[in-house]
Amino acid sequence: MTKVLVGMSGGIDSSVAAYLLKQQGYDVTGVTMAIWKEGREFHGDLNANACFAPSETKDIKKTEEICESLGIKHMTLDISELYERIVLGNFKSEYLDGRTPNPCVWCNQKIKFGAMVERAREAGIEFDYFATGHYARIEKQQNGRYALLRSTDLSKDQSYFLYRLSQKQLSETLFPLGGMTKKEVREIDVSLGFHPAGMTESQDFYSGSYSDLLDVEPKVGNIVNKDGKILGKHKGVWNYTIGQRKGLGIGAERPLYVTELRVKANEVVVGFEEETKDVSVTASQIVWGAVETIEKEIEVSAKIRSAGLSYECKASLTEDGKIKAVFKNPVKAATCGQSLVLYDGDNVLCGGIIEDKERLI
């Protein structure tokens, strides 16, 4: 019998994924990763649904109950040291460098589909595949490569968060919810009595202020316009992101947006909406998906953040191995540290971390 290890969080999606796999005849084992380091201070909302919080003990207990009801084994793996070093380490260094990282992208590649799977094998668990409740699909193509695809339910598609999975990781992964809608998954969950009908699920990375995780003292600096005129004060560039409009504390005839973070000068630059428009981005640390490389300029669609639309663009490989995407129409507030992910239809071609951009004005 084929054995599957299912990453479970105690939530609706991973619980239904485990159920479906068992129904399909797999030998299923559930695994949960503990990522909150004992002794770390917490200033967020314990009632909020965040993946990085001391309340994970409640989620682990819920997962154990669900696994028991399904008649499957369950184990918890302490990954907190690695999570602190790899995910939070990247998170801190990026923010302090004036960039805006996506910790979920990093966690999926390095921790959830990486270290946790390796730790499970080291613990003696035998399995042929690893599975999660993510909304995405995997297909093996005629060229022999494994392609990550958008989910059938585009409103729940999570391929953007998963683009950094390697060919080996994709070849050993199952996404049982990839062809389903969230409505269908909820109906199964309620019918099994796992969670109450209508349960909210919005899950953030952290429910408190991100500055809690950076371990830095406030550093007062100036908020300026592109000409250097001082408009206000800030307490640290890491408290701002490109495109941010709320919380600036500055009055103007039109809404102001953060357009640039000057770390060395300790300045937050703001401007009007037209000053947030970008015509191209360049990404590095490329992970190749459905294709092994790009040999010439191609017309594709691109995502530059997890939420929002895909944008038509022309993409090419630079001489130093980076991806440059030139957008058909200017995009708003492309952000260094976030990911550029290229799609051909539903197929993820490749993706990388945005490191530079070209502004319209």
Side-chain angles (χ1 to χ4, degrees):
M1 184 182 293
T2 304
K3 298 180 178 181
V4 180
L5 180 71
V6 184
M8 301 181 67
S9 64
I12 292 173
D13 297 329
S14 60
S15 301
V16 172
Y19 164 76
L20 291 174
L21 289 166
K22 186 180 180 185
Q23 289 296 106
Q24 292 166 15
Y26 292 103
D27 181 356
V28 178
T29 298
V31 62
T32 305
M33 61 181 190
I35 58 176
W36 185 265
K37 189 175 181 181
E38 188 174 349
R40 169 181 275 281
E41 292 187 12
F42 180 68
H43 303 288
D45 181 3
L46 277 173
N47 295 317
N49 193 7
C51 64
F52 186 61
S55 56
E56 68 179 12
T57 54
K58 179 180 65 176
D59 299 329
I60 292 171
K61 186 175 185 300
K62 179 66 176 179
T63 305
E64 291 172 344
E65 293 171 356
I66 290 171
C67 287
E68 184 176 358
S69 71
L70 290 174
I72 64 176
K73 300 183 290 293
H74 174 265
M75 73 177 304
T76 300
L77 295 173
D78 186 350
I79 312 289
S80 59
E81 291 287 348
L82 275 176
Y83 191 89
E84 290 266 343
R85 177 164 55 85
I86 295 174
V87 178
L88 294 188
N90 173 265
F91 182 86
K92 180 176 180 177
S93 65
E94 289 284 85
Y95 260 108
L96 296 184
D97 198 31
R99 296 155 61 92
T100 305
N102 190 318
C104 299
V105 168
W106 220 242
C107 178
N108 281 332
Q109 177 194 23
K110 302 287 187 179
I111 303 297
K112 188 172 294 180
F113 291 80
M116 184 171 72
V117 173
E118 294 170 6
R119 288 280 182 89
R121 286 202 166 97
E122 291 170 0
I125 300 179
E126 295 182 0
F127 54 97
D128 303 291
Y129 292 96
F130 177 61
T132 68
H134 283 97
Y135 287 82
R137 294 174 290 154
I138 299 171
E139 290 182 1
K140 189 173 183 180
Q141 303 180 120
Q142 291 185 347
N143 63 6
R145 293 185 67 82
Y146 288 85
L148 176 68
L149 284 75
R150 301 182 203 260
S151 66
T152 300
D153 186 348
L154 293 179
S155 69
K156 296 298 296 181
D157 174 56
Q158 293 173 300
S159 59
Y160 180 90
F161 296 103
L162 298 163
Y163 82 90
R164 295 197 69 81
L165 298 187
S166 68
Q167 286 292 294
K168 184 175 188 301
Q169 287 171 321
L170 290 174
S171 72
E172 298 173 349
T173 296
L174 300 175
F175 291 134
L177 308 188
M180 302 178 67
T181 66
K182 181 67 178 188
K183 183 175 182 292
E184 292 171 332
V185 173
R186 278 186 176 275
E187 289 173 350
I188 294 173
D189 181 80
V190 172
S191 71
L192 295 170
F194 289 160
H195 303 89
M199 187 183 84
T200 58
E201 280 191 295
S202 57
Q203 188 175 71
D204 296 321
F205 160 58
Y206 182 70
S207 64
S209 169
Y210 282 0
S211 60
D212 296 345
L213 307 177
L214 302 180
D215 193 29
V216 290
E217 295 295 326
K219 187 177 180 181
V220 176
N222 293 324
I223 300 177
V224 303
N225 64 15
K226 64 180 181 180
D227 298 320
K229 181 181 177 181
I230 298 175
L231 304 177
K233 296 288 185 180
H234 68 79
K235 295 183 179 180
V237 295
W238 51 85
N239 294 309
Y240 300 83
T241 58
I242 302 299
Q244 178 179 332
R245 180 172 68 87
K246 296 181 179 180
L248 301 181
I250 303 171
E253 67 269 22
R254 287 191 288 144
L256 290 169
Y257 299 80
V258 175
T259 61
E260 185 182 356
L261 299 174
R262 297 172 179 168
V263 176
K264 291 182 179 179
N266 194 27
E267 291 179 337
V268 174
V269 185
V270 297
F272 298 122
E273 185 174 13
E274 58 268 24
E275 297 175 64
T276 68
K277 301 292 185 177
D278 301 301
V279 295
S280 71
V281 297
T282 302
S284 60
Q285 304 181 60
I286 306 301
V287 173
W288 296 98
V291 295
E292 190 172 356
T293 189
I294 295 175
E295 296 181 353
K296 59 182 180 179
E297 185 178 76
I298 56 174
E299 294 187 5
V300 293
S301 63
K303 292 196 73 171
I304 58 171
R305 55 180 64 90
S306 58
L309 304 172
S310 296
Y311 302 100
E312 293 182 35
C313 69
K314 292 183 178 180
S316 58
L317 191 65
T318 66
E319 291 183 358
D320 54 355
K322 300 173 184 176
I323 294 292
K324 182 173 183 178
V326 179
F327 300 104
K328 181 177 180 181
N329 299 302
V331 300
K332 184 177 179 180
T335 306
C336 293
Q338 292 285 293
S339 293
L340 167 73
V341 181
L342 302 184
Y343 292 84
D344 178 12
D346 287 338
N347 285 21
V348 173
L349 298 181
C350 62
I353 308 299
I354 298 172
E355 67 168 38
D356 196 12
K357 60 185 181 176
E358 183 181 357
R359 185 134 283 171
L360 179 63
I361 58 174

